[in-house]
């Protein structure tokens, strides 16, 4: 896609609204809505829809409603309703007024169903689901009219009332619109308006045993709320003629218009609530907000920021054709934000003890380091330096044959700089019975804090460290992609087959500097040389620090993109 195409495509909804405003439509009002079905947690695809709907309302000084599309009684739960509200707010948006519920319009829908029956535009149909599907035909074969289509208005009114009163079993009959069984658009072949469902509903209890279909509800919800631009994803394009038919045939207070954009699909990622629910139900992950999940709450725990998600949604544009976005682009947006805003700190993931033999055992020298290298306003942090320190095991070797270029860390008999502290030399290795190195004795070069070492002393590089007595132990969870396959749910195999078996690794005994131990849950850090991390909002406490790895330092997408 060329740049110019991308720009114009990404703006098509803005352009429509601008044109409508210029033409004086809707009395200059712009009103959108975000209409989740409360049958799961929101995921990255929903984040896109939220940014589009709330974003357009914001941009044009309009309003955006949060509306729960709760027409389906059995799969929906209060837990989801609460989580959805929390996620929308966390992303940085606020809906207009109270959250709305499709179920609060059930009385009005019922009245409108009666209206259609009275006008001869709806009928009660007793065909079984199987028969109805056979009568419906298929794309290239016109359907046949139901034998119940000719029922009189009186009979339909009476049967529909009985449906409502619970006098029929589930599946015994449905209410259908009387439109056109020969229409090339399958959605217009006498679509279902109401089904019998003898289920309790989380908002309306046992008041109803008939429930409106998505099609009969959605457009009318938009009309009741006087939505001006009803934005949905492309799979609803073929429903648009039906959306408009209802508005033409019902005494609705407004006639919103529907516009469709392409769903967001990400490689290596599953974005279907049904499939995500399976991961939760089968305990493949630790709940909807497991940091590996592409849910908004999962990404939040992982360390994503609302700004990074909004930036990503902006970067990918709003298009009319389906495509698959590289997850590297999401990670790019995240790194950019964290690089700019995350505090720097030191964390040793695989500790190896260093004893500085020429530093007193009870002495503490407090070093200072900036919280962020180019944001002075964030201040500085204190790094207590003590005789016993931890460095990472991978930062030490006895192998003196490694070139300076290859190994810019600590080598036995040579020098390295400890970040924001002294230059040290590794003098001696201590082993346990098994031969494993358990300690390295080292000596510091005096007067090298913030100063170059004397002539002839050449540190190989700079490594990070944490004081044993002043640092704090932490549990760090390292995450990798949940799926090892680029398109986990697009092949022949069940998507579960493509799970990455190594998506979680837990390191129980890492060490962090004091500034990390003191930080609040959800604080994000760049641990120097290791990547970006976030203090877990639930599992971390004063007792046990639990830290999630958000993402590594290196960007894969930029390199690919600029190649
Ligand atoms: P799922 O397939 O995950 O169940 P859904 O579309 O059924 O998703 P809804 O709760 O009905 O989920 O979605 C609420 C809104 O979010 C809808 O307007 C829908 O079009 C939009 N949406 C859902 N998934 C995506 C996506 N991947 N990209 C963009 N918008 C999405
Ligand atoms: Mg849906």
């Amino acid at each position: 896609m060329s740049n110019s195409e991308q720009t114009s495509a990404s703006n098509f909804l803005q352009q429509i609204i601008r044109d409508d405003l210029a033409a004086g439509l809707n009395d200059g009002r712009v009103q959108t809505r975000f209409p989740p079905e409360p049958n799961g947690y929101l995921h990255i695809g929903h984040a896109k829809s939220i940014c589009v709907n709330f974003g357009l309302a914001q941009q044009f000084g309009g309003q955006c409603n949060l509306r729960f599309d709760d027409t389906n009684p059995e799969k929906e739960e209060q837990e989801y309703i609460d989580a959805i509200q929390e996620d929308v707010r966390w992303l940085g948006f606020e809906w207009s007024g109270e959250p709305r519920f499709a179920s609060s319009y059930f009385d009005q829908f019922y009245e409108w169903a009666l209206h259609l029956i009275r006008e001869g535009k709806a009928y009660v149909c007793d065909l079984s689901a199987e028969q109805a599907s056979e009568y419906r035909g298929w794309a290239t074969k016109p359907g046949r009219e139901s034998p119940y289509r000719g029922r009189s208005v009186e009979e339909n009114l009476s049967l529909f009332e009985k449906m409502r009163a619970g006098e029929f079993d589930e599946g015994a009959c449905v209410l259908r619109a009387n439109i056109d069984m020969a229409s090339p658009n399958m959605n217009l072949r006498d679509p279902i308006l109401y089904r019998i469902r003898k289920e309790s509903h989380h908002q309306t209890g046992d008041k109803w045993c008939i429930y409106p279909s998505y099609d009969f509800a959605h457009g009318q919800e938009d009309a009741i709320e006087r939505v001006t631009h009803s934005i949905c994803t492309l799979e609803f394009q073929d429903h648009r003629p039906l959306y408009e038919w209802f508005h033409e045939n019902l005494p609705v207070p407004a006639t919103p218009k529907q516009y469709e954009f392409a769903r967001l699909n990400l490689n290596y990622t599953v974005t279907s609530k049904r499939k995500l629910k399976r991961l939760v139900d089968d305990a493949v992950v630790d709940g909807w907000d497991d940091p590996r999940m592409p849910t908004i709450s999962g990404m939040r725990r992982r360390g994503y920021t609302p700004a990074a998600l909004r930036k990503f949604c902006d970067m990918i544009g709003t298009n009319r054709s389906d495509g698959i976005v590289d997850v590297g682009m999401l990670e790019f947006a995240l790194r950019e934000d964290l690089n700019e805003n995350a505090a720097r700190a030191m964390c040793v993931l695989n500790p190896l003890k260093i004893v500085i033999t020429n530093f007193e055992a009870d002495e503490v020298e407090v070093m200072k380091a900036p919280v962020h290298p180019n944001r002075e306003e964030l201040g500085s942090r204190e790094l207590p330096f003590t005789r016993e320190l931890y460095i990472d095991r991978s930062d030490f070797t006895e192998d003196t044959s490694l070139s300076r270029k290859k190994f810019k860390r600590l080598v036995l008999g040579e020098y390295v700089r400890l970040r924001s502290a002294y230059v040290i030399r590794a003098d001696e290795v201590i082993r346990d019975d098994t031969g494993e190195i358990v300690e390295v004795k080292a000596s510091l070069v005096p007067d090298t804090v913030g100063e170059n070492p004397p002539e002839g002393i050449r540190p190989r590089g700079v490594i990070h460290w944490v004081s044993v007595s002043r640092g704090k132990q932490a549990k760090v969870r390292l995450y990798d992609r949940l799926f090892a396959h680029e398109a986990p749910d697009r092949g022949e195999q069940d998507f579960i087959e493509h799970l990455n078996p190594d998506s979680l690794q837990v390191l129980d005994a890492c060490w962090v500097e004091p500034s990390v131990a003191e930080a609040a849950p959800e604080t994000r850090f760049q641990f120097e040389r290791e990547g970006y991390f976030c203090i877990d909002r639930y599992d971390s406490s004063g007792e046990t620090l639990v830290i999630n790895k958000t993402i590594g330092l290196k960007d894969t997408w930029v390199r690919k993109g600029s190649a």
Side-chain angles (χ1 to χ4, degrees), residues 512-543:
V512 293
E513 64 169 73
S515 73
V516 178
E518 288 153 14
E522 292 207 272
T523 308
R524 303 171 187 93
F525 289 96
Q526 183 195 98
F527 289 157
E528 307 212 22
R529 302 174 64 232
E530 294 291 359
Y532 295 99
F533 294 76
C534 175
I535 300 186
D536 192 86
R537 58 189 290 225
Y538 297 124
D539 298 340
S540 202
S541 66
E543 303 283 286

Side-chain angles (χ1 to χ4, degrees), residues 539-560:
D539 298 340
S540 202
S541 66
E543 303 283 286
T544 338
L545 262 177
V546 180
I547 299 172
N548 301 325
K549 179 161 185 179
T550 309
I551 196 164
L553 289 171
K554 280 212 197 92
D555 236 305
T556 49
W557 182 73
V558 171
R559 256 190 268 137
K560 233 192 285 170

